[in-house]
Amino acid sequence: MNTGHPKTPTDKPAAGSNVAVCASNVTMDFSGFKAVNNASFELEAGKFLTILGPSGSGKTTLLQMIAGFLTPTSGEITINGKSVDAAPPHRRSIGMVFQKLALFPHMTAAQNVAFPLKMRRFNPKTIPNRVAQFLDLVKLGDYGARRVNELSGGQQQRVAIARALVFEPELLLLDEPLAALDVKLREEMQLEFRRIQHELGVTTINVTHDQREALVVSDDIIVMDSGKIQQQARPVEMYRAPDNPFVAGFLGMSSFLRGTACAGGLVVEGQRVAGTASAAIADGAPVCGAIRAEQIRIAASEAQLGDCDTRLSGVVRDAIFEGERQLYVVALNTAGEAEIRVYHHDPLTFGLFEIGAPVVLGWNTSDMKIFADGGAE
Amino acid sequence: MTRTPDQDSFRYPLVWRLLDGLNTAADVLWPRKMARFTGWLLLAPALLLVGILVISLVQIAESSLHVLDRSTFMPGEDYTLANYATIADSATYARVLWRSLLGAALTVVFTLLLALPYSYVMVRTTSALTRKALLIVLFLPFFIGQVVRAYGILIVMGRSGAVNDILGLVGIEPLRLLFNFPAVVFGLVQYMLPFAVLMLAPALTAIPREIEAAANSLGANWIRTFRHIVIPMAKPGLVGAGLVVGTLSLTDFAMPAMLGGGSQDFIANAIYDQFFRTADQGLGSALALILVALGSVIVGVIIAFFGAGTLGMGGKK
């Protein structure tokens, strides 16, 4: 797999620049099960990193090691150049927003925010001002005297953020705090996280399984699967140039073709499909081709397809209307009747093709990414 | 319902048919239109018990108003407050009352001090074996009963008991460990510990681990997490356990009788003496009423102070 370093040189800060968090060969072994397997990454100070992965990918375990709730079986984590592996959580300068927020129900919002200041022995005279300042930052200036259970879900989120940031930690960790919110509130809070993070410039690591959230909030994304870091890159880079079929499938909607490599493409059940490989692959090796649903055009005839250099005919298996777009599932007539998913974005022609209708699909060769087939998808 | 041969071969399980039968019977005995009285029906047994209690309390109150006629050894005919005056004037009864209150208060403090860590470890341990071991150790004495346990303490802490034997090994002369106030409190704490642990366990279980992790990450070590987070959040359990331990200790009979050796009477022992030794029913009844009033006032004040919500019964938030 990938070493965890971004592919394109522009992604990587110049060596020796201000690296805030560095994990080197970190492994967490739960009696034989490697929840995190040899993970290495670097995070530049002031950046917003999202660790993205399905449940069980090891992303939360990695976060808990950074927070100090778990000690890595091997490997080392440094924060601002200092190894933290021997420091218990309360000696690390890390603010954390928990999945279930973990606000203290017997305290008011202001008392919750003041708690870390008291525990970290800030000057008592400065505490009220600082609490007010951070409640203002999260737009809860008037809610300090409320008890936690008198606040709405969104307001509780804001208290949790203020509490995690008020002592100006070196690092902010977000453990899927938005997972339980409804979509509207979640999108609002994603933008809030971004605003606050930009305003304070605090280095942030966010954990989520929500690919949209990762793309929206992050400067940098790490995709994890089965304990391993699959790729680290900026959101646009990662979306444009996934390193492997897992990343291609996890970020966005992709369809896959499995076959053997040939010059300039792959052969699927006797049908040659043109594509582009990012690395040299020997002819005849098993490969996997991936294409994104929005990069495919769909039409009734080849003449209506317009400019595209790969054209394949098929039959509509399913047509799903999603509001801002229509999803078609098309079974190709060749290539082992592989199923291709297509997003159709033209509102004027939504509902044009019924299930069973013959269609032609077209795309550009450069959009069909070809990977050596490691079996993962 | 028409039956096909296929259905004949199928029979519902016995339990299902039994429950169907019960359901039908319940429908006949307590028709649907009675549904709004169902709550009262469910309360009926409890109301019956409380009713009997109230009736006997009224009788006790009545008999506390008659003075024992020493010539006939029968309660006198006249209504009088003389029994209460006797108690108010008596230094002995003041001492007994004070001893009972102090003993109950000390028992509450020591029991909670011991029960909180015990309960915490039992709830938080990740090892099922440790949890089971703690539960068994807790429950073994629970099953033995108060009197037998008091006898056990008499044997172990006696002049030639195991405790003095061990003290003898390090050269300490045999101590008089029994028949004094500390021995009674010791016995009460030992007796109350399982109640307190069992009442604290749900309160501690209700505190999510994530809350403690949050306190850690915000800069609190375990001692400060315990002091600022665990104890305040466990308050309902602490108050509830304190009330149960306090009222049970205040009214206890066996521990003062057996471990106090007659010199450390609580109110219950004094009441027993009046009823069954001097046969002064009136004085005994007056003492009993004072005990009821004392216990009720203490419980009432504590509930008023902490709110009924602290007992986990809803109430104010």
mmCIF file with all atom_site columns, all heavy atoms in Angstrom, chain A residues 216-235:
data_model
loop_
_atom_site.group_PDB
_atom_site.id
_atom_site.type_symbol
_atom_site.label_atom_id
_atom_site.label_alt_id
_atom_site.label_comp_id
_atom_site.label_asym_id
_atom_site.label_entity_id
_atom_site.label_seq_id
_atom_site.pdbx_PDB_ins_code
_atom_site.Cartn_x
_atom_site.Cartn_y
_atom_site.Cartn_z
_atom_site.occupancy
_atom_site.B_iso_or_equiv
_atom_site.pdbx_formal_charge
_atom_site.auth_seq_id
_atom_site.auth_comp_id
_atom_site.auth_asym_id
_atom_site.auth_atom_id
_atom_site.pdbx_PDB_model_num
ATOM 1   N N   . VAL A 1 216 ? -15.656 18.851 2.909  1.00 0.00 ? 216 VAL A N   1
ATOM 2   C CA  . VAL A 1 216 ? -16.076 20.217 3.219  1.00 0.00 ? 216 VAL A CA  1
ATOM 3   C C   . VAL A 1 216 ? -15.099 20.895 4.184  1.00 0.00 ? 216 VAL A C   1
ATOM 4   O O   . VAL A 1 216 ? -14.711 22.038 3.977  1.00 0.00 ? 216 VAL A O   1
ATOM 5   C CB  . VAL A 1 216 ? -17.502 20.221 3.825  1.00 0.00 ? 216 VAL A CB  1
ATOM 6   C CG1 . VAL A 1 216 ? -17.827 21.574 4.425  1.00 0.00 ? 216 VAL A CG1 1
ATOM 7   C CG2 . VAL A 1 216 ? -18.517 19.867 2.759  1.00 0.00 ? 216 VAL A CG2 1
ATOM 8   N N   . VAL A 1 217 ? -14.708 20.194 5.263  1.00 0.00 ? 217 VAL A N   1
ATOM 9   C CA  . VAL A 1 217 ? -13.994 20.894 6.339  1.00 0.00 ? 217 VAL A CA  1
ATOM 10  C C   . VAL A 1 217 ? -12.474 20.857 6.239  1.00 0.00 ? 217 VAL A C   1
ATOM 11  O O   . VAL A 1 217 ? -11.814 21.683 6.842  1.00 0.00 ? 217 VAL A O   1
ATOM 12  C CB  . VAL A 1 217 ? -14.396 20.343 7.740  1.00 0.00 ? 217 VAL A CB  1
ATOM 13  C CG1 . VAL A 1 217 ? -15.876 20.526 7.989  1.00 0.00 ? 217 VAL A CG1 1
ATOM 14  C CG2 . VAL A 1 217 ? -13.997 18.903 7.890  1.00 0.00 ? 217 VAL A CG2 1
ATOM 15  N N   . SER A 1 218 ? -11.911 19.922 5.477  1.00 0.00 ? 218 SER A N   1
ATOM 16  C CA  . SER A 1 218 ? -10.492 19.622 5.686  1.00 0.00 ? 218 SER A CA  1
ATOM 17  C C   . SER A 1 218 ? -9.548  20.386 4.780  1.00 0.00 ? 218 SER A C   1
ATOM 18  O O   . SER A 1 218 ? -9.878  20.729 3.644  1.00 0.00 ? 218 SER A O   1
ATOM 19  C CB  . SER A 1 218 ? -10.260 18.125 5.467  1.00 0.00 ? 218 SER A CB  1
ATOM 20  O OG  . SER A 1 218 ? -11.289 17.390 6.016  1.00 0.00 ? 218 SER A OG  1
ATOM 21  N N   . ASP A 1 219 ? -8.313  20.605 5.304  1.00 0.00 ? 219 ASP A N   1
ATOM 22  C CA  . ASP A 1 219 ? -7.194  20.994 4.462  1.00 0.00 ? 219 ASP A CA  1
ATOM 23  C C   . ASP A 1 219 ? -6.536  19.750 3.911  1.00 0.00 ? 219 ASP A C   1
ATOM 24  O O   . ASP A 1 219 ? -5.919  19.765 2.843  1.00 0.00 ? 219 ASP A O   1
ATOM 25  C CB  . ASP A 1 219 ? -6.149  21.763 5.282  1.00 0.00 ? 219 ASP A CB  1
ATOM 26  C CG  . ASP A 1 219 ? -6.722  23.052 5.856  1.00 0.00 ? 219 ASP A CG  1
ATOM 27  O OD1 . ASP A 1 219 ? -7.385  23.774 5.097  1.00 0.00 ? 219 ASP A OD1 1
ATOM 28  O OD2 . ASP A 1 219 ? -6.517  23.307 7.053  1.00 0.00 ? 219 ASP A OD2 1
ATOM 29  N N   . ASP A 1 220 ? -6.637  18.666 4.659  1.00 0.00 ? 220 ASP A N   1
ATOM 30  C CA  . ASP A 1 220 ? -5.908  17.454 4.344  1.00 0.00 ? 220 ASP A CA  1
ATOM 31  C C   . ASP A 1 220 ? -6.781  16.276 4.773  1.00 0.00 ? 220 ASP A C   1
ATOM 32  O O   . ASP A 1 220 ? -7.456  16.360 5.805  1.00 0.00 ? 220 ASP A O   1
ATOM 33  C CB  . ASP A 1 220 ? -4.604  17.443 5.157  1.00 0.00 ? 220 ASP A CB  1
ATOM 34  C CG  . ASP A 1 220 ? -3.437  16.952 4.336  1.00 0.00 ? 220 ASP A CG  1
ATOM 35  O OD1 . ASP A 1 220 ? -3.600  16.778 3.114  1.00 0.00 ? 220 ASP A OD1 1
ATOM 36  O OD2 . ASP A 1 220 ? -2.362  16.733 4.919  1.00 0.00 ? 220 ASP A OD2 1
ATOM 37  N N   . ILE A 1 221 ? -6.795  15.198 3.987  1.00 0.00 ? 221 ILE A N   1
ATOM 38  C CA  . ILE A 1 221 ? -7.586  14.037 4.344  1.00 0.00 ? 221 ILE A CA  1
ATOM 39  C C   . ILE A 1 221 ? -6.686  12.805 4.389  1.00 0.00 ? 221 ILE A C   1
ATOM 40  O O   . ILE A 1 221 ? -5.794  12.657 3.562  1.00 0.00 ? 221 ILE A O   1
ATOM 41  C CB  . ILE A 1 221 ? -8.717  13.785 3.312  1.00 0.00 ? 221 ILE A CB  1
ATOM 42  C CG1 . ILE A 1 221 ? -9.700  14.960 3.291  1.00 0.00 ? 221 ILE A CG1 1
ATOM 43  C CG2 . ILE A 1 221 ? -9.486  12.498 3.634  1.00 0.00 ? 221 ILE A CG2 1
ATOM 44  C CD1 . ILE A 1 221 ? -10.796 14.811 2.262  1.00 0.00 ? 221 ILE A CD1 1
ATOM 45  N N   . ILE A 1 222 ? -6.927  11.958 5.410  1.00 0.00 ? 222 ILE A N   1
ATOM 46  C CA  . ILE A 1 222 ? -6.315  10.642 5.429  1.00 0.00 ? 222 ILE A CA  1
ATOM 47  C C   . ILE A 1 222 ? -7.457  9.642  5.314  1.00 0.00 ? 222 ILE A C   1
ATOM 48  O O   . ILE A 1 222 ? -8.427  9.727  6.063  1.00 0.00 ? 222 ILE A O   1
ATOM 49  C CB  . ILE A 1 222 ? -5.538  10.400 6.741  1.00 0.00 ? 222 ILE A CB  1
ATOM 50  C CG1 . ILE A 1 222 ? -4.224  11.169 6.729  1.00 0.00 ? 222 ILE A CG1 1
ATOM 51  C CG2 . ILE A 1 222 ? -5.294  8.916  6.956  1.00 0.00 ? 222 ILE A CG2 1
ATOM 52  C CD1 . ILE A 1 222 ? -3.444  11.052 8.033  1.00 0.00 ? 222 ILE A CD1 1
ATOM 53  N N   . VAL A 1 223 ? -7.358  8.722  4.350  1.00 0.00 ? 223 VAL A N   1
ATOM 54  C CA  . VAL A 1 223 ? -8.360  7.666  4.259  1.00 0.00 ? 223 VAL A CA  1
ATOM 55  C C   . VAL A 1 223 ? -7.764  6.410  4.873  1.00 0.00 ? 223 VAL A C   1
ATOM 56  O O   . VAL A 1 223 ? -6.636  6.020  4.551  1.00 0.00 ? 223 VAL A O   1
ATOM 57  C CB  . VAL A 1 223 ? -8.794  7.408  2.798  1.00 0.00 ? 223 VAL A CB  1
ATOM 58  C CG1 . VAL A 1 223 ? -9.673  6.165  2.723  1.00 0.00 ? 223 VAL A CG1 1
ATOM 59  C CG2 . VAL A 1 223 ? -9.556  8.607  2.271  1.00 0.00 ? 223 VAL A CG2 1
ATOM 60  N N   . MET A 1 224 ? -8.518  5.805  5.823  1.00 0.00 ? 224 MET A N   1
ATOM 61  C CA  . MET A 1 224 ? -8.047  4.575  6.476  1.00 0.00 ? 224 MET A CA  1
ATOM 62  C C   . MET A 1 224 ? -8.965  3.422  6.148  1.00 0.00 ? 224 MET A C   1
ATOM 63  O O   . MET A 1 224 ? -10.181 3.608  5.998  1.00 0.00 ? 224 MET A O   1
ATOM 64  C CB  . MET A 1 224 ? -8.024  4.754  8.000  1.00 0.00 ? 224 MET A CB  1
ATOM 65  C CG  . MET A 1 224 ? -6.824  5.513  8.500  1.00 0.00 ? 224 MET A CG  1
ATOM 66  S SD  . MET A 1 224 ? -6.700  5.414  10.301 1.00 0.00 ? 224 MET A SD  1
ATOM 67  C CE  . MET A 1 224 ? -5.942  3.812  10.512 1.00 0.00 ? 224 MET A CE  1
ATOM 68  N N   . ASP A 1 225 ? -8.380  2.241  6.045  1.00 0.00 ? 225 ASP A N   1
ATOM 69  C CA  . ASP A 1 225 ? -9.192  1.034  5.929  1.00 0.00 ? 225 ASP A CA  1
ATOM 70  C C   . ASP A 1 225 ? -8.433  -0.121 6.555  1.00 0.00 ? 225 ASP A C   1
ATOM 71  O O   . ASP A 1 225 ? -7.222  -0.214 6.404  1.00 0.00 ? 225 ASP A O   1
ATOM 72  C CB  . ASP A 1 225 ? -9.500  0.730  4.459  1.00 0.00 ? 225 ASP A CB  1
ATOM 73  C CG  . ASP A 1 225 ? -10.421 -0.476 4.337  1.00 0.00 ? 225 ASP A CG  1
ATOM 74  O OD1 . ASP A 1 225 ? -11.391 -0.552 5.104  1.00 0.00 ? 225 ASP A OD1 1
ATOM 75  O OD2 . ASP A 1 225 ? -10.146 -1.338 3.485  1.00 0.00 ? 225 ASP A OD2 1
ATOM 76  N N   . SER A 1 226 ? -9.122  -0.981 7.243  1.00 0.00 ? 226 SER A N   1
ATOM 77  C CA  . SER A 1 226 ? -8.566  -2.128 7.980  1.00 0.00 ? 226 SER A CA  1
ATOM 78  C C   . SER A 1 226 ? -7.237  -1.789 8.648  1.00 0.00 ? 226 SER A C   1
ATOM 79  O O   . SER A 1 226 ? -6.250  -2.482 8.485  1.00 0.00 ? 226 SER A O   1
ATOM 80  C CB  . SER A 1 226 ? -8.438  -3.369 7.102  1.00 0.00 ? 226 SER A CB  1
ATOM 81  O OG  . SER A 1 226 ? -8.539  -3.079 5.748  1.00 0.00 ? 226 SER A OG  1
ATOM 82  N N   . GLY A 1 227 ? -7.216  -0.706 9.394  1.00 0.00 ? 227 GLY A N   1
ATOM 83  C CA  . GLY A 1 227 ? -6.068  -0.361 10.210 1.00 0.00 ? 227 GLY A CA  1
ATOM 84  C C   . GLY A 1 227 ? -4.933  0.318  9.477  1.00 0.00 ? 227 GLY A C   1
ATOM 85  O O   . GLY A 1 227 ? -3.953  0.708  10.087 1.00 0.00 ? 227 GLY A O   1
ATOM 86  N N   . LYS A 1 228 ? -5.072  0.432  8.149  1.00 0.00 ? 228 LYS A N   1
ATOM 87  C CA  . LYS A 1 228 ? -3.962  1.013  7.392  1.00 0.00 ? 228 LYS A CA  1
ATOM 88  C C   . LYS A 1 228 ? -4.351  2.335  6.763  1.00 0.00 ? 228 LYS A C   1
ATOM 89  O O   . LYS A 1 228 ? -5.493  2.523  6.349  1.00 0.00 ? 228 LYS A O   1
ATOM 90  C CB  . LYS A 1 228 ? -3.526  0.047  6.281  1.00 0.00 ? 228 LYS A CB  1
ATOM 91  C CG  . LYS A 1 228 ? -2.820  -1.166 6.819  1.00 0.00 ? 228 LYS A CG  1
ATOM 92  C CD  . LYS A 1 228 ? -2.323  -2.005 5.679  1.00 0.00 ? 228 LYS A CD  1
ATOM 93  C CE  . LYS A 1 228 ? -1.550  -3.193 6.220  1.00 0.00 ? 228 LYS A CE  1
ATOM 94  N NZ  . LYS A 1 228 ? -1.645  -4.326 5.307  1.00 0.00 ? 228 LYS A NZ  1
ATOM 95  N N   . ILE A 1 229 ? -3.362  3.238  6.714  1.00 0.00 ? 229 ILE A N   1
ATOM 96  C CA  . ILE A 1 229 ? -3.588  4.495  6.009  1.00 0.00 ? 229 ILE A CA  1
ATOM 97  C C   . ILE A 1 229 ? -3.516  4.208  4.510  1.00 0.00 ? 229 ILE A C   1
ATOM 98  O O   . ILE A 1 229 ? -2.532  3.685  4.013  1.00 0.00 ? 229 ILE A O   1
ATOM 99  C CB  . ILE A 1 229 ? -2.549  5.547  6.433  1.00 0.00 ? 229 ILE A CB  1
ATOM 100 C CG1 . ILE A 1 229 ? -2.814  5.972  7.879  1.00 0.00 ? 229 ILE A CG1 1
ATOM 101 C CG2 . ILE A 1 229 ? -2.602  6.740  5.498  1.00 0.00 ? 229 ILE A CG2 1
ATOM 102 C CD1 . ILE A 1 229 ? -1.885  7.040  8.398  1.00 0.00 ? 229 ILE A CD1 1
ATOM 103 N N   . GLN A 1 230 ? -4.604  4.510  3.785  1.00 0.00 ? 230 GLN A N   1
ATOM 104 C CA  . GLN A 1 230 ? -4.656  4.215  2.359  1.00 0.00 ? 230 GLN A CA  1
ATOM 105 C C   . GLN A 1 230 ? -4.085  5.363  1.541  1.00 0.00 ? 230 GLN A C   1
ATOM 106 O O   . GLN A 1 230 ? -3.461  5.149  0.509  1.00 0.00 ? 230 GLN A O   1
ATOM 107 C CB  . GLN A 1 230 ? -6.108  3.962  1.925  1.00 0.00 ? 230 GLN A CB  1
ATOM 108 C CG  . GLN A 1 230 ? -6.789  2.844  2.686  1.00 0.00 ? 230 GLN A CG  1
ATOM 109 C CD  . GLN A 1 230 ? -6.230  1.480  2.334  1.00 0.00 ? 230 GLN A CD  1
ATOM 110 O OE1 . GLN A 1 230 ? -5.790  1.243  1.212  1.00 0.00 ? 230 GLN A OE1 1
ATOM 111 N NE2 . GLN A 1 230 ? -6.217  0.585  3.299  1.00 0.00 ? 230 GLN A NE2 1
ATOM 112 N N   . GLN A 1 231 ? -4.324  6.594  1.976  1.00 0.00 ? 231 GLN A N   1
ATOM 113 C CA  . GLN A 1 231 ? -3.844  7.748  1.231  1.00 0.00 ? 231 GLN A CA  1
ATOM 114 C C   . GLN A 1 231 ? -3.970  8.982  2.093  1.00 0.00 ? 231 GLN A C   1
ATOM 115 O O   . GLN A 1 231 ? -4.889  9.096  2.892  1.00 0.00 ? 231 GLN A O   1
ATOM 116 C CB  . GLN A 1 231 ? -4.675  7.934  -0.050 1.00 0.00 ? 231 GLN A CB  1
ATOM 117 C CG  . GLN A 1 231 ? -4.114  8.993  -0.971 1.00 0.00 ? 231 GLN A CG  1
ATOM 118 C CD  . GLN A 1 231 ? -4.862  9.073  -2.295 1.00 0.00 ? 231 GLN A CD  1
ATOM 119 O OE1 . GLN A 1 231 ? -5.829  8.350  -2.520 1.00 0.00 ? 231 GLN A OE1 1
ATOM 120 N NE2 . GLN A 1 231 ? -4.407  9.944  -3.180 1.00 0.00 ? 231 GLN A NE2 1
ATOM 121 N N   . GLN A 1 232 ? -3.008  9.905  1.925  1.00 0.00 ? 232 GLN A N   1
ATOM 122 C CA  . GLN A 1 232 ? -3.132  11.218 2.549  1.00 0.00 ? 232 GLN A CA  1
ATOM 123 C C   . GLN A 1 232 ? -2.959  12.254 1.464  1.00 0.00 ? 232 GLN A C   1
ATOM 124 O O   . GLN A 1 232 ? -1.978  12.220 0.714  1.00 0.00 ? 232 GLN A O   1
ATOM 125 C CB  . GLN A 1 232 ? -2.077  11.420 3.643  1.00 0.00 ? 232 GLN A CB  1
ATOM 126 C CG  . GLN A 1 232 ? -2.145  12.822 4.262  1.00 0.00 ? 232 GLN A CG  1
ATOM 127 C CD  . GLN A 1 232 ? -1.162  13.016 5.400  1.00 0.00 ? 232 GLN A CD  1
ATOM 128 O OE1 . GLN A 1 232 ? -0.298  12.193 5.648  1.00 0.00 ? 232 GLN A OE1 1
ATOM 129 N NE2 . GLN A 1 232 ? -1.295  14.139 6.098  1.00 0.00 ? 232 GLN A NE2 1
ATOM 130 N N   . ALA A 1 233 ? -3.908  13.161 1.334  1.00 0.00 ? 233 ALA A N   1
ATOM 131 C CA  . ALA A 1 233 ? -3.822  14.181 0.294  1.00 0.00 ? 233 ALA A CA  1
ATOM 132 C C   . ALA A 1 233 ? -4.802  15.293 0.599  1.00 0.00 ? 233 ALA A C   1
ATOM 133 O O   . ALA A 1 233 ? -5.666  15.155 1.466  1.00 0.00 ? 233 ALA A O   1
ATOM 134 C CB  . ALA A 1 233 ? -4.128  13.584 -1.073 1.00 0.00 ? 233 ALA A CB  1
ATOM 135 N N   . ARG A 1 234 ? -4.672  16.402 -0.139 1.00 0.00 ? 234 ARG A N   1
ATOM 136 C CA  . ARG A 1 234 ? -5.672  17.458 -0.030 1.00 0.00 ? 234 ARG A CA  1
ATOM 137 C C   . ARG A 1 234 ? -6.964  16.955 -0.653 1.00 0.00 ? 234 ARG A C   1
ATOM 138 O O   . ARG A 1 234 ? -6.943  16.091 -1.535 1.00 0.00 ? 234 ARG A O   1
ATOM 139 C CB  . ARG A 1 234 ? -5.177  18.711 -0.750 1.00 0.00 ? 234 ARG A CB  1
ATOM 140 C CG  . ARG A 1 234 ? -4.048  19.397 -0.004 1.00 0.00 ? 234 ARG A CG  1
ATOM 141 C CD  . ARG A 1 234 ? -3.652  20.664 -0.717 1.00 0.00 ? 234 ARG A CD  1
ATOM 142 N NE  . ARG A 1 234 ? -3.248  20.363 -2.089 1.00 0.00 ? 234 ARG A NE  1
ATOM 143 C CZ  . ARG A 1 234 ? -3.083  21.287 -3.029 1.00 0.00 ? 234 ARG A CZ  1
ATOM 144 N NH1 . ARG A 1 234 ? -3.315  22.539 -2.756 1.00 0.00 ? 234 ARG A NH1 1
ATOM 145 N NH2 . ARG A 1 234 ? -2.693  20.944 -4.239 1.00 0.00 ? 234 ARG A NH2 1
ATOM 146 N N   . PRO A 1 235 ? -8.111  17.482 -0.208 1.00 0.00 ? 235 PRO A N   1
ATOM 147 C CA  . PRO A 1 235 ? -9.398  16.934 -0.680 1.00 0.00 ? 235 PRO A CA  1
ATOM 148 C C   . PRO A 1 235 ? -9.501  16.853 -2.200 1.00 0.00 ? 235 PRO A C   1
ATOM 149 O O   . PRO A 1 235 ? -9.873  15.806 -2.747 1.00 0.00 ? 235 PRO A O   1
ATOM 150 C CB  . PRO A 1 235 ? -10.420 17.918 -0.104 1.00 0.00 ? 235 PRO A CB  1
ATOM 151 C CG  . PRO A 1 235 ? -9.776  18.474 1.103  1.00 0.00 ? 235 PRO A CG  1
ATOM 152 C CD  . PRO A 1 235 ? -8.305  18.520 0.818  1.00 0.00 ? 235 PRO A CD  1
#
